[in-house]
Amino acid sequence: MSKNKVNENEIWGMPCAVDHKNKRVYLKCESAITAMGIGALVEKYYPGYKGHLVSLNRLSEIRDSLETVQ
């Protein structure tokens, strides 16, 4: 995890979930402008990971599944 990252449940005020096993970051983003920069944000905080935009319901499901795996 990058030293710039404090909370794995949020990046720049956007709710997120981090799947370290598959190197994926799932984010809920409501702005099209911000969505265009998701790749850069993910690369800054999680180099080598892929960013995925998801709905709030899907984000909750992903968080639940990640918690049961750990």
Side-chain angles (χ1 to χ4, degrees), residues 17-22 24 26 60-70:
V18 181
D19 178 356
H20 293 286
K21 179 181 176 186
N22 297 307
R24 295 180 181 165
Y26 300 94
S60 293
E61 292 171 2
I62 292 168
R63 283 179 174 168
D64 290 344
S65 70
L66 290 173
E67 287 175 3
T68 58
V69 169
Q70 296 174 357

Side-chain angles (χ1 to χ4, degrees):
M1 179 170 69
S2 171
K3 64 183 174 187
N4 297 327
K5 186 72 178 84
V6 176
N7 182 354
E8 286 199 0
N9 292 313
E10 190 175 277
I11 293 177
W12 271 32
M14 293 177 287
C16 72
V18 181
D19 178 356
H20 293 286
K21 179 181 176 186
N22 297 307
K23 293 196 171 201
R24 295 180 181 165
V25 179
Y26 300 94
L27 295 118
K28 167 67 172 106
C29 176
E30 296 184 15
S31 166
I33 299 293
T34 305
M36 293 185 334
I38 292 297
L41 280 175
V42 170
E43 184 62 29
K44 177 180 178 179
Y45 293 110
Y46 296 97
Y49 284 54
K50 298 262 186 190
H52 298 274
L53 297 176
V54 295
S55 69
L56 196 53
N57 288 340
R58 181 68 181 127
L59 183 62
S60 293
E61 292 171 2
I62 292 168
R63 283 179 174 168
D64 290 344
S65 70
L66 290 173
E67 287 175 3
T68 58
V69 169
Q70 296 174 357

